[in-house]
Amino acid sequence: MADAQEFLKDFPLLGQKMNGKQITYLDNGATTQKPEQMIEALCHYYGGCNANPHRGAYALSVEATEIYEKARVRTAQFIHAARPEEIIFTKNATEALNLVAYSYGMTNVHEGDEILISIAEHHSNLVPWQHVAKATGARLRYIYLEDDGNLSEEDIEKKITERTKLVAVTQISNVLGLKNDIRRIVKKAHAVGAAALVDGSQSVAHMAVNVQDLDADFFAFSGHKMLSPMGIGVLYGKYDILDAMPPFLMGGDMIDSVEEQDTTWAELPAKFEAGTQNVGGAAGLTAAIDYLESLTFDRVEAIEKDLVGYALPKLRALPYIELYGCDSRRPNKTGIIAFNVRDVHPHDVASILDSFGVAIRAGHHCAQPLHHYLGQNASCRASFYFYNTRADVDRWIAALQKVRGVLGFGA
Ligand SMILES: Cc1ncc(COP(=O)(O)O)c(C=O)c1O
């Protein structure tokens, strides 16, 4: 299992104190900490070969271009895309999802069509589809949940119909931490001629992803949730689908030729990468992929499974803790635990935990419709990564046991 010392040497922030308290970082669903190897790659780029890629004929620019394009090749290998041109760099998952909504959605969805998403979507994979539905006259429909938090089997069966033009679901819910059977949903979408988009923001850093095996038409994620810098994200799309789509953002680098009144577009992937790109972020992403591949996802998953298995009985033993998505009858629970402390607002829980050095997330986690569906306004969320340890869980639970006392409630 995770040995506290093993990863401390790689993650400079993890060994530090904040306000005199050892940092217990349990907000990996929001963003992960960064390994030295990634930070070095970023510094190497900015300190050794910073230049605008694709534009200069001089050596520095050529090197920047090589670093940027190498990241594309490595990312394609990482998620098993058929070719590097299927990888579009964006600034985050949100931009990747908006790219599909604006470019694919606005072109292919029409009045009377249906877009199907799940009630467990992050706002980034929900609000853009509301917008497309309103703008086109399409109907936005939802897959609701079973009692255990998994997507309703009945809704998957009944709501993917001849009217469905696009199904957009997350691979792992950022609140409930439940992994969805994406392959099955994609198959059903394709059977009615609909496109399938997968939000991989919470999955790609925690499990091996093979987009060809999933047969997803689109797959989106953010680098910062997988050891990389903020500001680099990825949209994977099948080549022929991307090729047929109009550009999303327009400007430099995405054109073939520009006349006074008309423009022709560059080939993929440049067509979707307008303006100066985040080469440092791409260098960091390559280093993050190298790190994760040498660690292996078998190891990542085993550590996270152990931590969840260790934490849940301790949480269940506290009568004032309400858990969400923790009773799945399938073995699809990942390292995210959403909960509430009876009578205490999640923000108060998070502030009190912070006074013990424990960082968790509190609020609606950009999933308001899901919280309303669960009958809650907000919740707390602890989310693990491979560098977390059982000692982190112990510190979290010990602090949690103090919360109600600090506010003057009985146990
Ligand atoms: C499932 C899911 N989708 C999309 C996003 C959006 O990611 P970003 O803010 O990096 O664009 C998040 C972020 O928390 C997420 O958890």
Side-chain angles (χ1 to χ4, degrees):
M1 286 308 108
D3 165 0
Q5 297 308 314
E6 180 183 352
F7 297 110
L8 276 188
K9 64 176 181 2
D10 288 345
F11 289 82
L13 195 138
L14 290 180
Q16 289 182 28
K17 293 191 170 181
M18 187 76 110
N19 300 328
K21 299 276 176 349
Q22 180 180 344
I23 294 173
T24 302
Y25 186 76
L26 300 178
D27 196 17
N28 295 287
T31 198
T32 62
Q33 294 306 332
K34 314 302 177 197
E36 199 70 71
Q37 293 85 333
M38 191 289 285
I39 297 168
E40 264 170 32
L42 196 57
C43 293
H44 172 260
Y45 168 68
Y46 278 113
C49 40
N50 173 56
N52 207 315
H54 297 148
R55 293 181 184 188
Y58 52 93
L60 270 184
S61 173
V62 171
E63 186 158 358
T65 305
E66 279 171 11
I67 288 174
Y68 187 64
E69 293 306 325
K70 180 180 168 201
R72 195 185 311 280
V73 171
R74 289 293 286 123
T75 306
Q77 291 164 344
F78 182 61
I79 61 168
H80 300 274
R83 48 198 286 192
E85 295 85 351
E86 295 180 324
I87 301 297
I88 310 295
F89 287 124
T90 61
K91 69 171 186 280
N92 48 35
T94 302
E95 188 181 82
L97 294 163
N98 273 272
L99 191 165
V100 182
Y102 276 91
S103 176
Y104 184 88
M106 291 298 199
T107 315
N108 292 284
V109 177
H110 305 288
E111 191 173 351
D113 290 343
E114 292 180 358
I115 300 166
L116 184 65
I117 65 175
S118 90
I119 196 69
E121 297 311 308
H122 186 282
H123 295 165
S124 296
N125 195 32
L126 189 157
V127 182
W129 301 116
Q130 278 182 347
H131 181 71
V132 173
K134 282 185 184 146
T136 59
R139 179 176 174 209
L140 180 60
R141 299 191 76 194
Y142 286 88
I143 301 169
Y144 294 106
L145 308 180
E146 309 279 358
D147 289 348
D148 64 1
N150 280 303
L151 299 188
S152 156
E153 292 292 330
E154 194 184 334
D155 282 358
I156 294 172
E157 281 305 317
K158 292 202 175 142
K159 291 184 177 168
I160 302 178
T161 73
E162 298 298 324
R163 283 188 296 279
T164 313
K165 281 290 161 303
L166 184 114
V167 180
V169 285
T170 188
Q171 191 162 23
I172 294 178
S173 153
N174 67 314
V175 178
L176 302 174
L178 296 171
K179 195 190 301 175
N180 295 322
D181 184 352
I182 292 297
R183 209 176 310 162
R184 181 168 159 245
I185 295 171
V186 172
K187 206 167 164 196
K188 288 199 80 64
H190 287 167
V192 297
L197 175 150
V198 180
D199 179 354
S201 302
Q202 294 294 340
S203 58
V204 76
H206 302 269
M207 58 183 275
V209 166
N210 184 325
V211 287
Q212 291 189 77
D213 189 38
L214 294 175
D215 202 18
D217 299 300
F218 301 105
F219 187 94
F221 61 96
S222 284
H224 71 91
K225 292 184 199 287
M226 55 166 281
L227 309 177
S228 310
M230 293 185 181
I232 185 90
V234 173
L235 173 69
Y236 157 83
K238 284 183 183 161
Y239 189 92
D240 290 345
I241 298 179
L242 289 176
D243 196 41
M245 284 160 51
F248 170 44
L249 301 173
M250 303 187 199
D253 250 17
M254 52 72 71
I255 57 91
D256 176 32
S257 84
V258 183
E259 303 294 336
E260 280 195 24
Q261 300 298 331
D262 276 308
T263 297
T264 53
W265 315 129
E267 300 283 306
L268 290 175
K271 180 174 77 173
F272 288 112
E273 294 182 357
T276 300
Q277 298 297 305
N278 183 356
V279 183
L285 186 63
T286 299
I289 290 171
D290 289 345
Y291 192 98
L292 283 170
E293 287 188 342
S294 70
L295 184 62
T296 76
F297 280 112
D298 283 348
R299 183 99 199 277
V300 172
E301 283 181 295
I303 293 169
E304 293 179 7
K305 206 173 178 48
D306 175 71
L307 294 172
V308 172
Y310 182 68
L312 282 181
K314 292 177 186 291
L315 291 164
R316 289 197 179 106
L318 304 177
Y320 45 83
I321 297 287
E322 187 170 344
L323 294 164
Y324 309 105
C326 292
D327 294 317
S328 175
R329 289 175 286 278
R330 296 198 271 124
N332 63 336
K333 179 73 182 164
T334 67
I336 295 177
I337 297 179
F339 64 98
N340 267 317
V341 178
R342 198 175 62 225
D343 304 325
V344 187
H345 193 281
H347 287 160
D348 291 331
V349 176
S351 298
I352 294 169
L353 293 192
D354 180 51
S355 71
F356 293 98
V358 179
I360 61 149
R361 178 83 182 264
H364 52 62
H365 320 306
C366 298
Q368 274 186 331
L370 173 62
H371 278 85
H372 295 159
Y373 183 80
L374 296 172
Q376 305 295 322
N377 283 324
S379 64
C380 304
R381 181 187 72 185
S383 48
F384 302 128
Y385 209 14
F386 60 84
Y387 42 65
N388 288 125
T389 62
R390 287 185 171 203
D392 289 336
V393 175
D394 289 339
R395 280 193 293 275
W396 165 38
I397 306 278
L400 207 48
Q401 285 172 298
K402 304 230 169 62
V403 167
R404 282 173 57 89
V406 168
L407 294 172
F409 292 110

